[in-house]
Amino acid sequence: MAAAVGAETKSLIKVAAICGSLREGSYNRGLIRSAIEISKSSIPGVEIEHVEIAELPLLNTDLEGEGSFPPVVEAFRQKILAADSILFASPEYNYSVSAPLKNALDWASRPPNVWGDKAAAIVSASGGSGGSRSQYHLRQIGVFLDLHFINKPEFFLNAFGPPAKFDKNSNLIDAKTRENLKQVLLSLRAFTLRLQGR
């Protein structure tokens, strides 16, 4: 029994999920809730925690001490550092990532960069192209941060096209979309294990 528990702990992948929208009714928050539900019900060995970014101050290096950060920033950095991989839910604002997400990326990149060498995946719910342009910008940022994104499957969701993807509480209800999200999580799990040599 002890050996089995040890093996399970060793293979556990901790995923930090970050939503680029601060709005409670955000569809991207709905994607993170669904990812957590899917991982608990059908993807063993994956534990997803939604890490909030709303309380982070705007990046200002005057707030840094000698090798220290404001408590809320340090707590955020420690959650990223402890994660094996990252799941971004990125809406598209003006053809790019949101300001809150860019702020979070910048705070966690301050030396020492805590994003480095982690596997990552991006999902987006937006209008039009489903957030594709924000994803491309996020991938460009990730190059400098030494994040390693899965390439396939891609997940761009037009949240407003038929059939209905979300209910009135922004919960994901479309079965096909939930399956697509599951495939992203499976790919992220496999890529994380490969990067870590497990």
Side-chain angles (χ1 to χ4, degrees), residues 136-154:
Y136 295 144
H137 277 193
L138 182 50
R139 286 176 180 272
Q140 287 177 317
I141 295 166
V143 171
F144 187 78
L145 302 183
D146 292 323
L147 279 166
H148 305 292
F149 288 100
I150 64 169
N151 291 323
K152 297 288 190 306
E154 295 178 309

Side-chain angles (χ1 to χ4, degrees), residues 104-169:
L105 290 162
D106 290 343
W107 268 124
S109 73
R110 295 294 298 156
N113 170 32
V114 295
W115 299 111
D117 291 327
K118 295 186 187 296
I122 319 171
V123 295
S124 294
S126 197
S129 64
S132 60
R133 288 165 294 218
S134 75
Q135 290 201 21
Y136 295 144
H137 277 193
L138 182 50
R139 286 176 180 272
Q140 287 177 317
I141 295 166
V143 171
F144 187 78
L145 302 183
D146 292 323
L147 279 166
H148 305 292
F149 288 100
I150 64 169
N151 291 323
K152 297 288 190 306
E154 295 178 309
F155 188 104
F156 311 120
L157 179 62
N158 184 335
F160 307 103
K165 307 300 190 302
F166 298 89
D167 65 16
K168 64 180 181 179
N169 296 314

Side-chain angles (χ1 to χ4, degrees), residues 23-84:
R23 191 171 63 88
E24 278 301 320
S26 162
Y27 291 144
N28 286 280
R29 283 179 175 266
L31 291 179
I32 288 179
R33 286 195 302 274
S34 290
I36 292 172
E37 293 166 6
I38 292 168
S39 67
K40 287 180 177 178
S41 65
S42 56
I43 307 182
V46 172
E47 180 179 279
I48 302 176
E49 178 185 1
H50 183 186
V51 180
E52 288 286 357
I53 62 174
E55 299 304 316
L56 293 174
L58 288 176
L59 181 71
N60 179 354
T61 54
D62 287 344
L63 299 177
E64 298 178 22
E66 276 301 321
S68 66
F69 299 90
V72 66
V73 173
E74 183 59 32
F76 172 71
R77 287 171 56 88
Q78 288 302 316
K79 284 187 178 291
I80 300 305
L81 186 63
D84 296 297

